[in-house]
Amino acid sequence: MKQSLVEHLVLYIGESLKGHWMHLMKSAAVLIAVQLASGCTPETPGYHRTIALPDFQTKDLDGVQIDSAAILDQSDVTVFHFWGTWCVPCMEELPELARASQVSDPQKLQIIAIAVTDVPSEVRRVVQQTGLRARVVLDQDKALTTLFRIKGFPTTLGFRRDGHYLGSSIGVEETPAALLERFARLAKVN
């Protein structure tokens, strides 16, 4: 039986795509193998982004110096939470973060809440209103946001006392309580 030109093209394109599909699948398998060999798996939250704690010095909302070299020694887990009063998802999750901060042991967990491009009086009002127990830093010029390479808000990064990166959460991927619990669990395991 004689094939029409259209049928012939469909078969030809199908055979061509089959070759490309196999090449794509092999490439994906190599990438997955590299991730697994390096210990990175989808079960490791934040596996897509590994960072070291950048060196910085700043002051908190009360004028007390914060130094990245010394901050990690103050608690088993240090969480850097980037947020803003102008950010709707940030404000929606802040009350839960405040509740989690109130029940956590400061020797085990400390929160550095970095308010980005905010007015100090508004930040103080929100912190007081929610009862957030954290060291609050104003990042009005986005220096810390740039240094930590923050791309969206809210973003939360966790570090162990020895500087080991525990992971991150961008947006509202998980509740603050679940995120803090995950960081605490990973700090013990890793």
Side-chain angles (χ1 to χ4, degrees):
M1 177 190 257
K2 193 172 186 181
Q3 292 180 327
S4 71
L5 181 58
V6 172
E7 290 171 326
H8 182 70
L9 284 174
V10 167
L11 287 173
Y12 175 77
I13 291 171
E15 288 298 316
S16 296
L17 288 178
K18 194 185 302 179
H20 290 292
W21 179 252
M22 289 305 291
H23 178 70
L24 180 63
M25 293 303 289
K26 286 177 186 175
S27 297
V30 168
L31 287 173
I32 291 169
V34 168
Q35 282 185 335
L36 290 174
S38 67
C40 300
T41 68
E43 290 76 38
T44 307
Y47 76 98
H48 58 282
R49 183 169 176 228
T50 324
I51 64 170
L53 181 65
D55 292 329
F56 69 90
Q57 290 184 339
T58 190
K59 290 185 179 178
D60 67 15
L61 197 56
D62 297 324
V64 177
Q65 186 75 24
I66 294 179
D67 186 323
S68 62
I71 195 76
L72 295 179
D73 288 335
Q74 298 174 7
S75 186
D76 292 343
V77 175
T78 300
V79 171
F80 295 89
H81 181 71
F82 289 81
W83 65 289
T85 59
W86 45 265
C87 167
V88 173
C90 299
M91 295 304 293
E92 288 174 351
E93 80 165 7
L94 201 59
E96 187 174 344
L97 182 65
R99 282 190 295 279
S101 74
Q102 293 163 2
V103 298
S104 63
D105 178 354
Q107 297 297 319
K108 294 184 179 186
L109 173 76
Q110 70 175 326
I111 299 171
I112 310 297
I114 302 168
V116 181
T117 64
D118 255 314
V119 178
S121 61
E122 183 65 10
V123 172
R124 284 184 200 280
R125 183 190 67 73
V126 168
V127 168
Q128 176 141 13
Q129 185 178 30
T130 62
L132 179 64
R133 197 176 79 193
R135 293 187 71 183
V136 180
V137 173
L138 290 175
D139 190 23
Q140 292 174 314
D141 62 357
K142 289 188 167 184
L144 290 174
T145 303
T146 302
L147 188 64
F148 277 85
R149 298 184 200 146
I150 302 302
K151 302 294 182 206
F153 299 92
T155 293
T156 307
L157 307 168
F159 291 88
R160 198 168 58 190
R161 183 183 298 270
D162 64 2
H164 179 85
Y165 174 68
L166 297 172
S168 65
S169 177
I170 302 169
V172 287
E173 294 175 351
E174 57 191 308
T175 66
L179 178 65
L180 298 179
E181 183 179 309
R182 174 168 56 95
F183 288 160
R185 187 178 65 253
L186 287 172
K188 292 176 188 173
V189 172
N190 293 326

